[in-house]
Amino acid sequence: MSVHDTFTQYVMPTYGRFPLVPEKAEGSWLWDDQGNKYLDFCTGIAVCSIGHCHPRLVTAIQQQASKLMHCSNLYEIPQQAELAKTIVENFVKIPGKVFFSNSGAEANEGLIKLARKFGNSKPSTDGTPRPEVITFRNSFHGRTMATLTATGQDAIQKGFAPILPGINYAIYNDLDSVKAQITDKTAAILLEPIQGEGGIFSATAEFLNGLAALCKDHDLLLMLDEVQAGFGRLGHDMAWRAIAPDVQPDAISWAKGMGGGFPVGAFWVSDRAISDGVTLSSQLGPRTHGSTYGGNPLACAASLAVLAEIKEAKLNDNVIAREQQIRATLAEWNHPAIKELRGKGLMLGFALEPSAIKTAEGVTPALALVLKLTEKGMLTVPAGAETLRWLPALNVSQQEVEHALALLKEALDELAA
Ligand SMILES: *Cc1c(COP(=O)(O)O)cnc(C)c1O
């Protein structure tokens, strides 16, 4: 039975899959079972942040796996303590505490629970709790019931009613639309610094600064979903600092790139006081939240290796240099099929001109280009119908980016309508 036939018979059809069977990978390159080699600018959707099978990550996992993989959060796991300290001291650089999960959706579930708890601890003036959270149209926060509700996309919520009560949607980069949603029941605002799945749309600095001011005025939590954009992806340790460095968030979620391919997620909560002697990070106390796997020794050892590599190899600098390389080349091309390049760092979206791309019936311009690039030996991802997304490894080389750009040009020329 072929892999394809086995898939069709036994695996749930939740994904539209490309007919490619991956076998092995190294750095920015991936091989399929036919021996074809691909330049990987998908990286498992922004997960393999230090490249595939980086020796530092492989060694960390092997060593920890042979020593202790899992115990329980009933004990003081030293790798978890070390990882939390690294995240707070070297990356967030604002006093706070970390909770570890296994995925981005779980991390965001934690943020939504934090908002509810905060809204109970600090009710509205008439004493009723403030259970509501504002999220944004076109956002993506995950697939669990709470996070698909936070995700402001009808297509993702369709068929799953009743969704979680208490989530209200505003329009991204539109401060007035946020003001219109604030009531005496609102406790928090949750957003991505760059909307990833929604098509690579960046928040403006004015918008993030404006949200921070609104949160201060109305005693709301400012919660950032950096699941895709965090830990170096934007050429900055923290995604929001690449956009509006003066903002002081109350809570941040991560997953994807922080494990480099090992499943791990986390959220950080500020130590700031929310009332006399009570800190925000103490809101989720004993018996309020938990995870069996979250923060186990193996996951934390993997993430520690990834974060150490991001720092020591100065990957932020490479991310910024490669973005500049890509932008300079695009400016030279002035290609009729590319309307603009959105995003920041190595989270980039090529906005395509649909009339300049030949597509088969029922295929979006972004998908047509992804398929053409796959044929040419390069893996990429669509973001919506008309945006091609590049999410290469943070240590992708200048030559690899040059090669990627050459393939993109060829593909666009061959698809020219
Ligand atoms: C991928 C993603 C999630 C969900 O993460 P999972 O690990 O798939 O649960 C949440 N938020 C953003 C911004 C993402 O890109």
Side-chain angles (χ1 to χ4, degrees):
M1 211 175 185
S2 70
V3 174
H4 177 79
D5 291 344
T6 313
F7 244 103
T8 309
Q9 186 161 345
Y10 296 107
V11 182
M12 277 193 215
T14 51
Y15 280 79
R17 293 183 169 87
F18 297 105
L20 186 156
V21 180
E23 196 168 83
K24 60 170 188 176
E26 191 186 325
S28 287
W29 298 88
L30 182 142
W31 285 261
D32 70 11
D33 66 343
Q34 307 295 309
N36 298 311
K37 185 180 173 186
Y38 301 90
L39 180 58
D40 188 1
F41 272 39
C42 166
T43 62
I45 314 194
V47 167
C48 303
S49 49
I50 60 171
H52 289 283
C53 300
H54 192 288
R56 184 172 197 158
L57 177 57
V58 171
T59 305
I61 292 173
Q62 284 172 339
Q63 286 181 351
Q64 190 59 50
S66 64
K67 228 163 124 189
L68 178 65
M69 282 192 223
H70 179 81
C71 42
S72 164
N73 283 306
L74 294 170
Y75 311 107
E76 294 178 343
I77 299 167
Q79 293 80 7
Q80 187 180 135
E82 191 57 33
L83 180 57
K85 181 181 174 198
T86 301
I87 290 172
V88 173
E89 297 295 329
N90 301 348
F91 287 85
V92 181
K93 296 176 181 161
I94 304 172
K97 300 193 185 354
V98 184
F99 177 90
F100 292 97
S101 65
N102 310 286
S103 69
E106 276 177 76
N108 286 332
E109 283 276 344
L111 294 189
I112 293 165
K113 282 180 72 175
L114 173 77
R116 285 270 175 98
K117 204 72 168 47
F118 170 76
N120 267 270
S121 298
K122 296 195 80 183
S124 63
T125 38
D126 68 4
T128 53
R130 298 186 289 158
E132 296 187 354
V133 177
I134 295 172
T135 66
F136 291 86
R137 291 278 166 213
N138 200 43
S139 60
F140 185 81
H141 298 294
R143 300 283 190 171
T144 63
M145 281 312 301
T147 59
L148 81 80
T149 305
T151 294
Q153 298 189 42
D154 296 338
I156 285 174
Q157 297 174 354
K158 203 172 159 223
F160 298 109
I163 57 173
L164 188 76
I167 306 262
N168 300 302
Y169 310 103
I171 296 162
Y172 203 63
N173 279 330
D174 180 343
L175 218 46
D176 286 335
S177 82
V178 181
K179 286 180 194 156
Q181 294 297 334
I182 297 176
T183 69
D184 56 5
K185 293 210 163 10
T186 312
I189 297 173
L190 169 65
L191 81 159
E192 298 155 89
I194 293 184
Q195 290 188 331
E197 301 306 303
I200 310 287
F201 292 98
S202 181
T204 63
E206 304 77 69
F207 184 58
L208 283 187
N209 287 320
L211 288 180
L214 277 180
C215 286
K216 209 164 192 167
D217 289 351
H218 296 269
D219 195 16
L220 312 178
L221 300 183
L222 181 60
M223 310 196 300
L224 300 177
D225 176 349
E226 297 203 355
V227 167
Q228 190 164 155
F231 290 115
R233 175 79 25 211
L234 306 191
H236 235 284
D237 289 343
M238 297 282 100
W240 97 85
R241 285 209 176 98
I243 299 168
D246 296 334
V247 164
Q248 295 267 311
D250 293 303
I252 314 167
S253 59
W254 306 280
K256 294 199 164 94
M258 75 177 284
F262 199 93
V264 50
F267 66 96
W268 165 92
V269 180
S270 169
D271 275 342
R272 82 169 167 87
I274 55 168
S275 54
D276 281 349
V278 180
T279 61
L280 184 59
S281 57
S282 69
Q283 289 296 288
L284 293 177
R287 285 177 292 281
T288 61
H289 200 48
S291 166
T292 297
Y293 288 136
N296 73 47
L298 189 55
C300 291
S303 187
L304 276 168
V306 171
L307 299 193
E309 181 63 18
I310 288 173
K311 280 282 171 192
E312 287 166 32
K314 298 191 168 34
L315 296 189
N316 286 331
D317 296 348
N318 186 60
V319 168
I320 290 167
R322 300 288 73 79
E323 181 194 1
Q324 283 168 353
Q325 180 188 353
I326 293 165
R327 289 194 181 276
T329 306
L330 285 198
E332 251 168 55
W333 291 357
N334 194 20
H335 201 286
I338 300 173
K339 286 198 288 199
E340 60 169 333
L341 183 62
R342 291 195 300 264
K344 222 175 168 46
L346 290 178
M347 182 172 176
L348 296 171
F350 299 79
L352 303 171
E353 171 51 54
S355 67
I357 292 176
K358 247 190 335 241
T359 56
E361 188 69 22
V363 174
T364 63
L367 184 57
L369 186 53
V370 168
L371 290 169
K372 177 60 86 181
L373 284 167
T374 308
E375 215 179 278
K376 293 189 161 297
M378 180 178 178
L379 304 181
T380 56
V381 229
E386 295 179 3
T387 305
L388 173 76
R389 188 162 30 152
W390 275 12
L391 301 160
L394 307 181
N395 55 8
V396 68
S397 72
Q398 179 174 1
Q399 290 77 10
E400 285 161 346
V401 167
E402 224 171 87
H403 185 60
L405 287 162
L407 292 179
L408 175 61
K409 184 117 188 306
E410 271 179 43
L412 286 172
D413 290 345
E414 283 173 34
L415 286 173

